[in-house]
Amino acid sequence: MVQSMRETERKYAVPSSSDTSWLSDASWLSRLERVEGVTAVVDRGPEELDAVYYDTADLRLSGSSATLRRRTGGSDAGWHLKLPLPGDSREEIQSALTDAVPDTMVDLTVSRTRGAMLTPVVRIRSTREVRHLLDAEGTLRAALNIDTVRAESLRAEGRRAVWNEVEVELAEGADPALLEAVDEKLRKKGIARAQSPSKLARALDETATAATAVGTDQSGDLDLNPGSAGEQVLAYVREQIRVLTALDPAVRRDRPDSVHRMRVACRRLRSCLRSYRSVLDRHATDPIRAELKWLAGELGAERDQEVLMERLTHRIDGLPEELVLGPVVARLQTWNVGRGTESHQRTLDALGSPRYLTLLDSLAELVEQPPLRAKARKKADKVMARAVLKEYDRLAERMPHALDLSPGPKRDVALHEARKAAKKVRYATEVARPALGKPAKRLGKRVKAVQKVLGDHQDSVVARGTIRDLAVAAQGVGEAGFTWGLLYGTEQAVAGTREHEVPAVWARTSAPTLRKQLT
Protein backbone atom coordinates (compact mmCIF):
# COMPACT_ATOMS: atom_id res chain seq x y z
CA MET A 1 0.00 0.00 0.00
CA VAL A 2 1.47 3.35 -1.00
CA GLN A 3 0.37 6.93 -0.55
CA SER A 4 1.60 10.02 -2.32
CA MET A 5 1.79 13.72 -1.66
CA ARG A 6 3.09 16.80 -3.41
CA GLU A 7 6.20 18.18 -1.71
CA THR A 8 7.18 21.79 -2.38
CA GLU A 9 10.40 22.93 -0.75
CA ARG A 10 13.59 24.90 -1.14
CA LYS A 11 17.01 24.07 0.23
CA TYR A 12 19.58 26.60 1.39
CA ALA A 13 23.31 26.17 1.85
CA VAL A 14 25.18 27.27 4.95
CA PRO A 15 28.99 27.73 4.61
CA SER A 16 30.59 24.89 6.56
CA SER A 17 33.43 27.15 7.71
CA SER A 18 31.15 29.63 9.44
CA ASP A 19 29.95 29.68 13.01
CA THR A 20 26.53 28.07 12.74
CA SER A 21 25.37 28.63 16.29
CA TRP A 22 23.23 31.52 15.07
CA LEU A 23 21.07 29.11 13.09
CA SER A 24 19.20 28.25 16.27
CA ASP A 25 19.12 31.84 17.53
CA ALA A 26 15.51 32.77 18.22
CA SER A 27 16.13 36.43 17.38
CA TRP A 28 16.45 35.96 13.63
CA LEU A 29 13.89 33.15 13.52
CA SER A 30 11.37 35.48 15.12
CA ARG A 31 11.72 37.79 12.12
CA LEU A 32 9.88 35.16 10.11
CA GLU A 33 6.79 36.13 12.09
CA ARG A 34 6.76 39.32 10.01
CA VAL A 35 6.22 37.32 6.83
CA GLU A 36 2.69 37.81 5.53
CA GLY A 37 0.50 34.91 6.59
CA VAL A 38 2.82 33.87 9.47
CA THR A 39 2.11 34.94 13.06
CA ALA A 40 4.21 32.47 15.06
CA VAL A 41 7.38 30.39 14.72
CA VAL A 42 7.12 27.38 17.03
CA ASP A 43 10.02 25.15 18.03
CA ARG A 44 9.01 21.51 17.58
CA GLY A 45 12.27 20.13 18.93
CA PRO A 46 14.97 17.99 17.35
CA GLU A 47 14.67 14.87 15.20
CA GLU A 48 17.24 12.24 14.33
CA LEU A 49 16.79 10.97 10.76
CA ASP A 50 18.69 8.06 9.24
CA ALA A 51 18.25 7.33 5.53
CA VAL A 52 19.87 4.86 3.17
CA TYR A 53 19.52 5.80 -0.50
CA TYR A 54 19.21 3.14 -3.18
CA ASP A 55 20.12 3.31 -6.86
CA THR A 56 21.47 1.23 -9.72
CA ALA A 57 25.18 0.67 -10.34
CA ASP A 58 25.22 3.52 -12.86
CA LEU A 59 22.93 5.80 -10.80
CA ARG A 60 19.97 5.77 -13.18
CA LEU A 61 17.56 7.11 -10.56
CA SER A 62 19.62 10.12 -9.52
CA GLY A 63 20.49 10.71 -13.17
CA SER A 64 16.77 11.26 -13.81
CA SER A 65 16.34 13.48 -10.70
CA ALA A 66 14.55 10.73 -8.75
CA THR A 67 15.50 9.39 -5.32
CA LEU A 68 14.59 6.26 -3.38
CA ARG A 69 15.41 5.97 0.31
CA ARG A 70 14.68 3.84 3.37
CA ARG A 71 14.36 6.22 6.29
CA THR A 72 13.93 5.76 10.02
CA GLY A 73 13.26 8.47 12.57
CA GLY A 74 10.85 11.37 12.31
CA SER A 75 7.11 11.10 11.74
CA ASP A 76 7.21 9.39 8.35
CA ALA A 77 9.58 6.45 8.66
CA GLY A 78 9.39 4.13 5.67
CA TRP A 79 10.34 3.97 2.00
CA HIS A 80 10.19 7.27 0.11
CA LEU A 81 10.32 7.62 -3.66
CA LYS A 82 10.63 11.21 -4.85
CA LEU A 83 9.85 12.05 -8.46
CA PRO A 84 10.49 15.45 -10.07
CA LEU A 85 7.70 17.91 -10.79
CA PRO A 86 7.95 21.41 -12.27
CA GLY A 87 9.49 24.19 -10.18
CA ASP A 88 10.20 23.56 -6.50
CA SER A 89 7.87 20.57 -6.26
CA ARG A 90 8.28 16.81 -6.23
CA GLU A 91 5.88 13.94 -5.81
CA GLU A 92 6.71 11.87 -2.76
CA ILE A 93 5.40 8.30 -2.74
CA GLN A 94 5.60 6.56 0.63
CA SER A 95 5.47 2.91 1.56
CA ALA A 96 5.68 1.09 4.90
CA LEU A 97 9.06 0.33 6.45
CA THR A 98 10.43 -3.05 5.37
CA ASP A 99 13.92 -4.53 5.17
CA ALA A 100 14.01 -5.00 1.40
CA VAL A 101 12.89 -2.62 -1.33
CA PRO A 102 9.11 -3.16 -1.67
CA ASP A 103 7.93 -4.64 -4.96
CA THR A 104 5.70 -1.61 -5.47
CA MET A 105 8.70 0.72 -5.33
CA VAL A 106 10.62 -1.51 -7.72
CA ASP A 107 7.73 -1.31 -10.20
CA LEU A 108 7.43 2.48 -9.87
CA THR A 109 11.12 2.93 -10.68
CA VAL A 110 11.30 0.48 -13.60
CA SER A 111 11.05 3.11 -16.33
CA ARG A 112 14.17 4.75 -14.89
CA THR A 113 16.14 1.69 -13.73
CA ARG A 114 15.17 -0.39 -16.78
CA GLY A 115 15.12 -3.42 -14.48
CA ALA A 116 18.64 -2.98 -13.07
CA MET A 117 19.10 -3.99 -9.43
CA LEU A 118 18.66 -1.36 -6.71
CA THR A 119 21.38 -1.42 -4.04
CA PRO A 120 22.47 0.94 -1.22
CA VAL A 121 24.49 3.93 -2.40
CA VAL A 122 24.76 6.48 0.39
CA ARG A 123 23.75 6.71 4.02
CA ILE A 124 22.67 10.17 5.21
CA ARG A 125 22.04 10.95 8.86
CA SER A 126 20.58 14.29 9.83
CA THR A 127 20.11 16.02 13.14
CA ARG A 128 17.14 18.25 12.43
CA GLU A 129 15.81 21.19 14.39
CA VAL A 130 12.20 21.79 13.35
CA ARG A 131 10.39 25.12 13.38
CA HIS A 132 6.73 25.39 12.37
CA LEU A 133 5.48 28.59 10.76
CA LEU A 134 1.86 29.04 11.85
CA ASP A 135 -0.87 31.47 10.82
CA ALA A 136 -3.26 33.33 13.10
CA GLU A 137 -5.50 30.25 13.46
CA GLY A 138 -2.55 28.08 14.44
CA THR A 139 -2.57 26.27 11.08
CA LEU A 140 0.77 25.05 9.76
CA ARG A 141 1.82 27.03 6.68
CA ALA A 142 5.42 25.82 6.33
CA ALA A 143 8.18 23.97 8.17
CA LEU A 144 11.68 25.39 8.49
CA ASN A 145 14.22 22.66 9.17
CA ILE A 146 17.82 23.30 10.22
CA ASP A 147 19.84 20.18 9.41
CA THR A 148 23.31 19.03 10.35
CA VAL A 149 23.97 16.42 7.70
CA ARG A 150 26.47 13.54 7.84
CA ALA A 151 26.84 11.55 4.62
CA GLU A 152 28.72 8.31 4.13
CA SER A 153 29.33 6.54 0.84
CA LEU A 154 28.33 2.87 0.90
CA ARG A 155 30.32 2.17 -2.26
CA ALA A 156 33.54 4.05 -1.58
CA GLU A 157 34.78 3.04 1.86
CA GLY A 158 35.84 5.84 4.17
CA ARG A 159 34.42 8.69 2.10
CA ARG A 160 32.32 11.01 4.22
CA ALA A 161 31.01 14.55 4.17
CA VAL A 162 29.43 16.89 6.72
CA TRP A 163 27.47 20.08 6.09
CA ASN A 164 24.65 22.26 7.37
CA GLU A 165 21.61 23.26 5.40
CA VAL A 166 18.25 24.94 5.85
CA GLU A 167 15.12 23.51 4.28
CA VAL A 168 11.77 25.27 3.92
CA GLU A 169 8.80 23.04 3.05
CA LEU A 170 5.30 24.33 2.31
CA ALA A 171 2.40 22.74 4.11
CA GLU A 172 -0.34 21.20 1.98
CA GLY A 173 -2.55 23.92 0.52
CA ALA A 174 -0.25 26.80 1.52
CA ASP A 175 0.28 29.73 -0.84
CA PRO A 176 3.53 29.31 -2.84
CA ALA A 177 4.09 33.06 -2.35
CA LEU A 178 5.07 32.18 1.21
CA LEU A 179 8.21 30.50 -0.13
CA GLU A 180 9.25 33.74 -1.82
CA ALA A 181 8.68 35.76 1.34
CA VAL A 182 10.71 33.37 3.50
CA ASP A 183 13.36 33.24 0.78
CA GLU A 184 13.82 37.01 1.05
CA LYS A 185 14.31 36.83 4.83
CA LEU A 186 16.87 34.03 4.50
CA ARG A 187 18.85 35.85 1.83
CA LYS A 188 19.07 38.92 4.07
CA LYS A 189 20.62 36.66 6.70
CA GLY A 190 23.18 35.50 4.15
CA ILE A 191 21.63 32.10 3.50
CA ALA A 192 21.71 31.38 -0.24
CA ARG A 193 19.90 28.73 -2.27
CA ALA A 194 21.73 25.40 -2.34
CA GLN A 195 23.47 24.48 -5.57
CA SER A 196 22.59 20.80 -5.19
CA PRO A 197 18.94 19.90 -5.78
CA SER A 198 18.89 17.32 -2.97
CA LYS A 199 20.87 15.91 -0.07
CA LEU A 200 21.61 12.85 -2.17
CA ALA A 201 23.06 14.88 -5.04
CA ARG A 202 25.40 16.70 -2.66
CA ALA A 203 26.34 13.49 -0.88
CA LEU A 204 27.18 11.76 -4.16
CA ASP A 205 29.34 14.70 -5.13
CA GLU A 206 31.15 15.31 -1.85
CA THR A 207 31.83 11.63 -1.15
CA ALA A 208 32.88 11.07 -4.79
CA THR A 209 30.38 8.21 -4.99
CA ALA A 210 29.20 9.32 -8.43
CA ALA A 211 32.74 8.94 -9.73
CA THR A 212 32.68 5.24 -8.80
CA ALA A 213 29.42 4.54 -10.65
CA VAL A 214 29.60 2.05 -13.50
CA GLY A 215 28.82 3.34 -16.98
CA THR A 216 27.61 6.81 -16.06
CA ASP A 217 29.21 8.50 -19.08
CA GLN A 218 28.05 6.75 -22.22
CA SER A 219 27.01 9.67 -24.39
CA GLY A 220 30.38 10.23 -26.07
CA ASP A 221 31.23 13.16 -28.32
CA LEU A 222 28.51 13.41 -30.94
CA ASP A 223 30.30 16.20 -32.81
CA LEU A 224 27.06 18.06 -33.57
CA ASN A 225 27.11 21.80 -34.06
CA PRO A 226 24.48 24.00 -32.41
CA GLY A 227 21.57 24.43 -34.80
CA SER A 228 22.30 21.23 -36.69
CA ALA A 229 19.49 18.89 -37.69
CA GLY A 230 20.91 16.13 -35.52
CA GLU A 231 21.06 18.31 -32.44
CA GLN A 232 17.45 19.41 -32.77
CA VAL A 233 16.06 15.98 -33.58
CA LEU A 234 17.92 14.42 -30.65
CA ALA A 235 16.70 17.16 -28.31
CA TYR A 236 13.10 16.32 -29.27
CA VAL A 237 13.73 12.57 -28.93
CA ARG A 238 15.27 13.02 -25.48
CA GLU A 239 12.34 15.10 -24.31
CA GLN A 240 9.76 12.55 -25.46
CA ILE A 241 11.71 9.73 -23.81
CA ARG A 242 11.82 11.80 -20.61
CA VAL A 243 8.05 12.31 -20.77
CA LEU A 244 7.40 8.63 -21.41
CA THR A 245 9.68 7.62 -18.53
CA ALA A 246 8.18 10.15 -16.14
CA LEU A 247 4.60 9.07 -16.87
CA ASP A 248 5.18 5.37 -16.21
CA PRO A 249 4.59 5.57 -12.42
CA ALA A 250 1.40 7.59 -12.92
CA VAL A 251 0.06 5.08 -15.46
CA ARG A 252 0.72 2.20 -13.07
CA ARG A 253 -1.31 4.02 -10.38
CA ASP A 254 -4.11 4.84 -12.83
CA ARG A 255 -3.71 8.60 -12.51
CA PRO A 256 -6.08 10.75 -14.64
CA ASP A 257 -4.92 11.44 -18.21
CA SER A 258 -1.60 9.62 -17.66
CA VAL A 259 -2.34 6.84 -20.17
CA HIS A 260 -3.30 9.38 -22.81
CA ARG A 261 -0.13 11.44 -22.31
CA MET A 262 2.13 8.39 -22.34
CA ARG A 263 0.48 7.14 -25.52
CA VAL A 264 0.99 10.55 -27.15
CA ALA A 265 4.68 10.46 -26.17
CA CYS A 266 4.97 7.07 -27.92
CA ARG A 267 3.31 8.47 -31.02
CA ARG A 268 5.47 11.59 -31.07
CA LEU A 269 8.62 9.51 -30.77
CA ARG A 270 7.52 7.08 -33.43
CA SER A 271 6.52 9.86 -35.80
CA CYS A 272 9.78 11.74 -35.26
CA LEU A 273 11.84 8.64 -36.06
CA ARG A 274 9.82 8.15 -39.24
CA SER A 275 9.83 11.77 -40.45
CA TYR A 276 13.52 12.33 -39.80
CA ARG A 277 15.00 9.19 -41.30
CA SER A 278 17.43 11.45 -43.13
CA VAL A 279 18.92 12.32 -39.72
CA LEU A 280 18.70 9.00 -37.83
CA ASP A 281 19.35 5.75 -39.67
CA ARG A 282 16.12 3.83 -40.15
CA HIS A 283 17.89 0.47 -39.89
CA ALA A 284 18.41 1.28 -36.22
CA THR A 285 15.19 3.20 -35.61
CA ASP A 286 12.61 1.12 -37.49
CA PRO A 287 12.72 -1.71 -34.90
CA ILE A 288 12.23 0.89 -32.16
CA ARG A 289 9.30 2.37 -34.07
CA ALA A 290 7.72 -1.08 -34.25
CA GLU A 291 8.01 -1.49 -30.48
CA LEU A 292 6.63 2.00 -29.84
CA LYS A 293 3.66 1.06 -32.02
CA TRP A 294 3.16 -2.05 -29.88
CA LEU A 295 3.29 -0.05 -26.63
CA ALA A 296 0.94 2.64 -27.95
CA GLY A 297 -1.45 -0.13 -28.97
CA GLU A 298 -1.42 -1.68 -25.49
CA LEU A 299 -2.03 1.72 -23.93
CA GLY A 300 -4.66 2.46 -26.57
CA ALA A 301 -7.16 -0.05 -25.25
CA GLU A 302 -7.41 1.82 -21.96
CA ARG A 303 -7.30 5.28 -23.51
CA ASP A 304 -9.94 4.46 -26.14
CA GLN A 305 -12.18 3.18 -23.37
CA GLU A 306 -11.78 6.46 -21.46
CA VAL A 307 -12.62 8.56 -24.53
CA LEU A 308 -15.62 6.46 -25.47
CA MET A 309 -17.05 6.47 -21.95
CA GLU A 310 -16.72 10.26 -21.71
CA ARG A 311 -18.40 10.70 -25.08
CA LEU A 312 -21.36 8.42 -24.39
CA THR A 313 -21.87 9.83 -20.91
CA HIS A 314 -21.91 13.33 -22.35
CA ARG A 315 -24.47 12.34 -24.97
CA ILE A 316 -26.79 10.74 -22.40
CA ASP A 317 -26.47 13.67 -20.00
CA GLY A 318 -27.51 15.98 -22.82
CA LEU A 319 -30.81 14.18 -23.43
CA PRO A 320 -34.07 15.33 -21.84
CA GLU A 321 -35.06 13.01 -19.01
CA GLU A 322 -38.18 11.81 -20.82
CA LEU A 323 -36.05 10.47 -23.70
CA VAL A 324 -33.91 8.22 -21.49
CA LEU A 325 -35.96 5.04 -21.43
CA GLY A 326 -34.81 1.98 -19.52
CA PRO A 327 -31.63 1.41 -17.46
CA VAL A 328 -29.41 3.12 -20.03
CA VAL A 329 -26.97 4.68 -17.54
CA ALA A 330 -26.68 1.49 -15.49
CA ARG A 331 -25.97 -0.60 -18.60
CA LEU A 332 -23.31 1.86 -19.76
CA GLN A 333 -21.63 1.88 -16.35
CA THR A 334 -21.63 -1.92 -16.12
CA TRP A 335 -20.09 -2.12 -19.59
CA ASN A 336 -17.43 0.43 -18.61
CA VAL A 337 -16.44 -1.30 -15.37
CA GLY A 338 -15.88 -4.60 -17.12
CA ARG A 339 -14.02 -3.14 -20.08
CA GLY A 340 -12.12 -0.60 -17.96
CA THR A 341 -10.71 -3.19 -15.56
CA GLU A 342 -9.69 -5.42 -18.45
CA SER A 343 -8.00 -2.61 -20.39
CA HIS A 344 -6.08 -1.31 -17.34
CA GLN A 345 -4.80 -4.81 -16.63
CA ARG A 346 -3.66 -5.00 -20.22
CA THR A 347 -1.68 -1.80 -19.66
CA LEU A 348 -0.09 -3.17 -16.48
CA ASP A 349 0.81 -6.42 -18.23
CA ALA A 350 2.55 -4.47 -20.97
CA LEU A 351 4.54 -2.33 -18.51
CA GLY A 352 5.54 -5.45 -16.58
CA SER A 353 6.75 -7.36 -19.62
CA PRO A 354 10.35 -8.10 -20.73
CA ARG A 355 9.39 -6.54 -24.07
CA TYR A 356 8.85 -3.18 -22.37
CA LEU A 357 12.22 -3.37 -20.61
CA THR A 358 13.89 -4.12 -23.93
CA LEU A 359 12.20 -1.09 -25.46
CA LEU A 360 13.44 1.13 -22.61
CA ASP A 361 16.98 -0.16 -23.15
CA SER A 362 16.67 0.55 -26.88
CA LEU A 363 15.52 4.11 -26.21
CA ALA A 364 18.43 4.70 -23.82
CA GLU A 365 20.89 3.39 -26.41
CA LEU A 366 19.27 5.56 -29.09
CA VAL A 367 20.23 8.79 -27.29
CA GLU A 368 23.52 7.53 -25.88
CA GLN A 369 24.76 6.20 -29.23
CA PRO A 370 22.50 7.80 -31.86
CA PRO A 371 22.71 6.31 -35.37
CA LEU A 372 23.44 9.62 -37.07
CA ARG A 373 23.41 10.02 -40.82
CA ALA A 374 25.31 12.60 -42.84
CA LYS A 375 22.44 15.09 -42.83
CA ALA A 376 22.48 15.16 -39.03
CA ARG A 377 25.42 17.57 -39.24
CA LYS A 378 23.77 19.89 -41.74
CA LYS A 379 21.84 23.02 -40.82
CA ALA A 380 18.45 22.16 -39.47
CA ASP A 381 16.24 24.49 -41.53
CA LYS A 382 16.56 22.86 -44.96
CA VAL A 383 16.67 19.29 -43.64
CA MET A 384 13.57 19.82 -41.54
CA ALA A 385 11.66 21.75 -44.20
CA ARG A 386 12.08 18.78 -46.56
CA ALA A 387 10.91 16.34 -43.91
CA VAL A 388 7.83 18.41 -43.07
CA LEU A 389 6.90 18.86 -46.73
CA LYS A 390 7.33 15.15 -47.37
CA GLU A 391 4.82 14.34 -44.63
CA TYR A 392 2.50 17.05 -45.93
CA ASP A 393 2.62 15.54 -49.43
CA ARG A 394 1.52 12.19 -48.03
CA LEU A 395 -1.42 13.89 -46.36
CA ALA A 396 -2.24 15.78 -49.57
CA GLU A 397 -2.51 12.46 -51.42
CA ARG A 398 -4.91 10.95 -48.89
CA MET A 399 -7.30 13.85 -48.39
CA PRO A 400 -8.70 14.15 -51.97
CA HIS A 401 -9.03 10.36 -52.18
CA ALA A 402 -11.05 10.25 -48.94
CA LEU A 403 -13.26 13.19 -49.92
CA ASP A 404 -14.03 11.69 -53.33
CA LEU A 405 -15.51 8.53 -51.80
CA SER A 406 -19.21 8.19 -51.11
CA PRO A 407 -20.30 8.24 -47.45
CA GLY A 408 -19.98 4.82 -45.88
CA PRO A 409 -17.46 2.42 -44.32
CA LYS A 410 -14.81 2.88 -47.06
CA ARG A 411 -14.89 6.64 -46.65
CA ASP A 412 -14.74 6.28 -42.87
CA VAL A 413 -11.55 4.23 -43.19
CA ALA A 414 -10.02 6.66 -45.69
CA LEU A 415 -10.76 9.66 -43.47
CA HIS A 416 -9.21 7.84 -40.53
CA GLU A 417 -6.05 7.21 -42.56
CA ALA A 418 -5.98 10.90 -43.50
CA ARG A 419 -6.29 11.78 -39.83
CA LYS A 420 -3.24 9.68 -38.98
CA ALA A 421 -1.31 11.37 -41.77
CA ALA A 422 -2.33 14.78 -40.38
CA LYS A 423 -0.91 13.77 -36.99
CA LYS A 424 2.42 12.90 -38.59
CA VAL A 425 2.58 16.32 -40.23
CA ARG A 426 1.78 18.02 -36.96
CA TYR A 427 4.41 16.09 -35.02
CA ALA A 428 6.98 16.79 -37.74
CA THR A 429 6.31 20.52 -37.34
CA GLU A 430 6.85 20.22 -33.57
CA VAL A 431 10.36 18.88 -34.11
CA ALA A 432 11.07 21.55 -36.72
CA ARG A 433 9.72 24.54 -34.82
CA PRO A 434 13.09 25.67 -33.33
CA ALA A 435 14.56 25.79 -36.85
CA LEU A 436 11.59 26.93 -38.94
CA GLY A 437 9.82 29.18 -36.45
CA LYS A 438 6.40 30.66 -37.21
CA PRO A 439 5.78 28.87 -40.53
CA ALA A 440 6.13 25.49 -38.82
CA LYS A 441 3.97 26.64 -35.92
CA ARG A 442 1.33 27.98 -38.30
CA LEU A 443 1.21 24.77 -40.32
CA GLY A 444 1.04 22.68 -37.14
CA LYS A 445 -1.92 24.73 -35.94
CA ARG A 446 -3.80 24.39 -39.23
CA VAL A 447 -3.15 20.67 -39.55
CA LYS A 448 -4.27 20.22 -35.94
CA ALA A 449 -7.61 21.74 -36.96
CA VAL A 450 -7.89 19.13 -39.72
CA GLN A 451 -6.93 16.40 -37.28
CA LYS A 452 -9.53 17.60 -34.77
CA VAL A 453 -12.40 17.45 -37.26
CA LEU A 454 -11.32 14.05 -38.53
CA GLY A 455 -10.80 12.85 -34.97
CA ASP A 456 -14.34 13.71 -33.96
CA HIS A 457 -15.56 11.92 -37.08
CA GLN A 458 -13.60 8.79 -36.17
CA ASP A 459 -14.80 8.91 -32.56
CA SER A 460 -18.35 8.98 -33.92
CA VAL A 461 -17.65 5.91 -36.04
CA VAL A 462 -16.34 4.00 -33.01
CA ALA A 463 -19.16 5.24 -30.79
CA ARG A 464 -21.82 4.01 -33.23
CA GLY A 465 -20.34 0.52 -33.16
CA THR A 466 -20.41 0.45 -29.37
CA ILE A 467 -23.93 1.90 -29.20
CA ARG A 468 -25.17 -0.82 -31.53
CA ASP A 469 -23.56 -3.52 -29.38
CA LEU A 470 -25.14 -2.06 -26.23
CA ALA A 471 -28.52 -1.85 -27.96
CA VAL A 472 -28.36 -5.50 -29.01
CA ALA A 473 -27.47 -6.51 -25.43
CA ALA A 474 -30.34 -4.42 -24.06
CA GLN A 475 -32.81 -5.88 -26.54
CA GLY A 476 -31.69 -9.39 -25.59
CA VAL A 477 -33.02 -8.95 -22.05
CA GLY A 478 -36.14 -7.03 -23.02
CA GLU A 479 -34.97 -3.47 -22.30
CA ALA A 480 -36.20 -0.51 -24.34
CA GLY A 481 -34.03 0.29 -27.35
CA PHE A 482 -35.39 3.76 -28.05
CA THR A 483 -32.59 5.73 -26.34
CA TRP A 484 -29.84 3.68 -27.94
CA GLY A 485 -31.37 4.34 -31.34
CA LEU A 486 -31.53 8.04 -30.55
CA LEU A 487 -27.86 8.06 -29.54
CA TYR A 488 -26.93 6.22 -32.73
CA GLY A 489 -28.78 8.77 -34.83
CA THR A 490 -27.09 11.64 -32.99
CA GLU A 491 -23.64 10.20 -33.70
CA GLN A 492 -24.57 9.62 -37.33
CA ALA A 493 -25.57 13.26 -37.63
CA VAL A 494 -22.30 14.38 -36.00
CA ALA A 495 -20.31 12.34 -38.50
CA GLY A 496 -22.21 13.91 -41.39
CA THR A 497 -21.53 17.41 -40.05
CA ARG A 498 -17.81 16.70 -39.67
CA GLU A 499 -17.59 15.30 -43.20
CA HIS A 500 -19.17 18.50 -44.47
CA GLU A 501 -16.61 20.61 -42.55
CA VAL A 502 -13.50 18.77 -43.74
CA PRO A 503 -13.05 20.40 -47.21
CA ALA A 504 -13.07 23.95 -45.82
CA VAL A 505 -10.68 23.13 -42.97
CA TRP A 506 -8.36 21.29 -45.35
CA ALA A 507 -8.35 24.18 -47.82
CA ARG A 508 -6.65 26.41 -45.21
CA THR A 509 -3.46 24.38 -45.51
CA SER A 510 -2.59 25.84 -48.92
CA ALA A 511 0.28 23.91 -50.52
CA PRO A 512 1.83 26.71 -52.64
CA THR A 513 1.84 29.13 -49.71
CA LEU A 514 3.19 26.42 -47.44
CA ARG A 515 6.16 25.62 -49.67
CA LYS A 516 7.05 29.28 -50.03
CA GLN A 517 7.02 29.81 -46.27
CA LEU A 518 9.01 26.72 -45.34
CA THR A 519 11.70 26.85 -48.02
Side-chain angles (χ1 to χ4, degrees), residues 3-5 7 76 80-82 90-94:
Q3 59 181 7
S4 73
M5 57 180 287
E7 175 188 79
D76 59 351
H80 303 164
L81 173 63
K82 296 190 178 185
R90 292 185 292 179
E91 181 181 18
E92 181 174 313
I93 304 170
Q94 299 181 356

Side-chain angles (χ1 to χ4, degrees), residues 218-224 230-231 233-235 237-238 273 279-281 284-285 288 362-373 376-377:
Q218 301 177 2
S219 58
D221 183 5
L222 300 180
D223 190 28
L224 291 174
E231 182 204 42
V233 168
L234 284 176
V237 168
R238 287 191 184 98
L273 297 179
V279 175
L280 297 174
D281 191 341
T285 61
I288 297 176
S362 298
L363 292 174
E365 184 179 357
L366 177 65
V367 294
E368 290 166 1
Q369 301 175 6
L372 301 174
R373 300 187 66 189
R377 293 173 173 80

Side-chain angles (χ1 to χ4, degrees), residues 8-77:
T8 301
E9 67 178 21
R10 290 184 181 178
K11 294 183 181 295
Y12 297 84
V14 178
S16 57
S17 59
S18 66
D19 177 10
T20 58
S21 60
W22 56 269
L23 284 172
S24 300
D25 187 349
S27 63
W28 80 271
L29 287 169
S30 64
R31 296 176 190 171
L32 296 176
E33 295 175 0
R34 303 172 192 170
V35 172
E36 185 177 355
V38 177
T39 59
V41 179
V42 180
D43 187 344
R44 293 303 187 191
E47 294 180 343
E48 292 294 333
L49 307 175
D50 191 344
V52 174
Y53 287 78
Y54 284 67
D55 209 330
T56 64
D58 53 358
L59 302 180
R60 293 176 184 179
L61 284 183
S62 61
S64 64
S65 301
T67 62
L68 175 65
R69 72 187 179 198
R70 181 187 185 275
R71 190 166 82 176
T72 56
S75 60
D76 59 351

